[in-house]
Amino acid sequence: MGRKIFVSYKYADDNVYSVPSVSDNRPRARDYVTWLEKKFTDRTDHIYKGEHDDEDLSNMSDDYIWTKLKDRIYDSTITIVLISPNMKEAYKWDKSQWIPWEIAYSVRETTRNDYTSHANAVLGVVLPDKNNKYDYYDSLRMFKILEENIKVGYIPIVKWEDFRYNCDTYLNKAFQAQKDVPQYRISKTV
């Protein structure tokens, strides 16, 4: 069954392991998105709804960027959150960072022009750090909305190493969690 996939991640996090055939001499979290975009673009049963690496919105206003992101999330069925060592900027509120807003918009039902989009399934994929280890995850300070939804079981977690070889298995787990967790237990605000 085809999925419309949006990916939420910290673009410039460079404390990640290199992605073969994608990363140059300075790997970053964006490289994993490029890998996923290629994988999902090469298949006819999934549609990649995220931003492309050559899209530079850095000179645009936050309102413009948010409008573009909302359009892509609204039309998607699953959000993959790439969890990386520096995804959460220290000393910045959750409300001033993109990932929590993308998660919040993903788990809400939103009505536009008499059509209501349903809450997305959400999957957390833990990326390896620059030493190809995952142990940072145990002590990672996460965004509150992410942490709460992991705790109630709405967002299943998988290591990149397992996910990359079995994407559909873990996407299906996220859809199953979406069905199993009662709506009242899901955290929907930043």
Side-chain angles (χ1 to χ4, degrees), residues 88-100:
K88 183 174 181 177
E89 292 182 48
Y91 310 111
K92 282 183 94 175
W93 293 31
D94 285 10
K95 289 183 178 188
S96 64
Q97 299 182 57
W98 289 110
I99 294 171

Side-chain angles (χ1 to χ4, degrees), residues 144-182:
K144 185 178 179 187
I145 191 170
L146 180 60
E147 184 176 353
E148 289 175 351
N149 285 315
I150 290 170
K151 230 180 259 183
V152 299
Y154 189 76
I155 301 178
I157 298 297
V158 60
K159 292 179 183 174
W160 172 259
E161 195 60 32
D162 297 325
F163 175 70
R164 69 184 237 179
Y165 294 113
N166 299 299
C167 292
D168 287 334
T169 297
Y170 293 101
L171 294 176
N172 289 336
K173 284 185 181 193
F175 279 99
Q176 190 60 50
Q178 177 191 35
K179 291 177 190 168
D180 292 346
V181 176

Side-chain angles (χ1 to χ4, degrees), residues 15-140:
N15 190 11
V16 294
Y17 193 70
S18 179
V19 180
S21 76
V22 176
S23 297
D24 54 17
N25 60 355
R26 187 172 176 208
R28 60 183 201 241
R30 172 64 215 188
D31 297 340
Y32 289 84
V33 179
T34 300
W35 188 94
L36 289 169
E37 179 182 2
K38 179 171 177 19
K39 179 167 183 70
F40 295 137
T41 302
D42 287 347
R43 296 180 54 173
T44 57
D45 59 339
H46 294 309
I47 300 169
Y48 174 73
K49 300 295 295 181
E51 65 185 344
H52 305 287
D53 198 23
D54 60 355
E55 283 183 87
D56 183 9
L57 300 177
S58 60
N59 292 330
M60 303 299 182
S61 71
D62 283 352
D63 287 340
Y64 178 84
I65 294 169
W66 183 232
T67 298
K68 289 291 187 190
L69 290 172
K70 285 193 305 187
D71 287 345
R72 291 175 180 177
I73 297 168
Y74 176 80
D75 189 32
S76 61
T77 57
I78 185 165
T79 298
I80 297 173
V81 180
L82 297 182
I83 299 170
S84 58
N86 299 322
M87 70 183 285
K88 183 174 181 177
E89 292 182 48
Y91 310 111
K92 282 183 94 175
W93 293 31
D94 285 10
K95 289 183 178 188
S96 64
Q97 299 182 57
W98 289 110
I99 294 171
W101 287 106
E102 292 168 349
I103 295 169
Y105 198 77
S106 293
V107 298
R108 289 187 199 134
E109 290 191 350
T110 305
T111 302
R112 292 182 179 179
N113 301 324
D114 297 328
Y115 175 77
T116 300
S117 73
H118 297 288
N120 282 4
V122 183
L123 176 66
V125 179
V126 182
L127 303 182
D129 68 14
K130 63 184 172 187
N131 298 314
N132 202 20
K133 305 266 189 219
Y134 295 92
D135 52 357
Y136 74 88
Y137 176 75
D138 295 332
S139 59
L140 182 66

